[in-house]
Amino acid sequence: MRYRLTFLAGLALGYVLGTRAGRERYEQLKKSAQRIAENPAVRNTAETAAQQGRQYASKAFHTVSDKVGDRVPASVADRVRSLRERNINGTPDDDWGTSNT
């Protein structure tokens, strides 16, 4: 699904940049893209995908840190511990660049 969306976005961008249809067609495409981006179903799907990505990243982070934890320098191990504690305490900030959309 991600590759399909990437392909479609690239196709649209290529068309806009490569076409000689003029400003009117560009504005029409821009308006259509804004309508799609503002669609609640699209926004919900994007947020769900972002949440799943954060979950998978968190699992990968914990798996790697569990397997490699005793082989890393102390400064890195301390940073991992502080991130885990922050995760356990449930602070709203995260390191994944999320937004409140």
Side-chain angles (χ1 to χ4, degrees), residues 19-78:
T19 190
R20 295 185 187 264
R23 185 73 178 178
E24 182 180 326
R25 181 67 179 149
Y26 169 76
E27 292 297 332
Q28 191 178 30
L29 287 171
K30 184 177 168 184
K31 192 178 289 187
S32 295
Q34 285 176 338
R35 257 196 326 260
I36 291 170
E38 292 171 357
N39 184 333
V42 172
R43 292 178 69 95
N44 289 339
T45 302
E47 183 60 32
T48 300
Q51 288 175 351
Q52 287 178 346
R54 286 191 297 274
Q55 288 174 353
Y56 290 136
S58 178
K59 285 180 185 179
F61 169 78
H62 291 299
T63 301
V64 170
S65 65
D66 287 344
K67 291 183 179 183
V68 186
D70 57 346
R71 295 185 218 145
V72 296
S75 62
V76 175
D78 291 341

Side-chain angles (χ1 to χ4, degrees), residues 2-14:
R2 182 181 75 174
Y3 296 108
R4 193 175 299 168
L5 290 175
T6 303
F7 174 75
L8 291 174
L11 186 66
L13 181 64

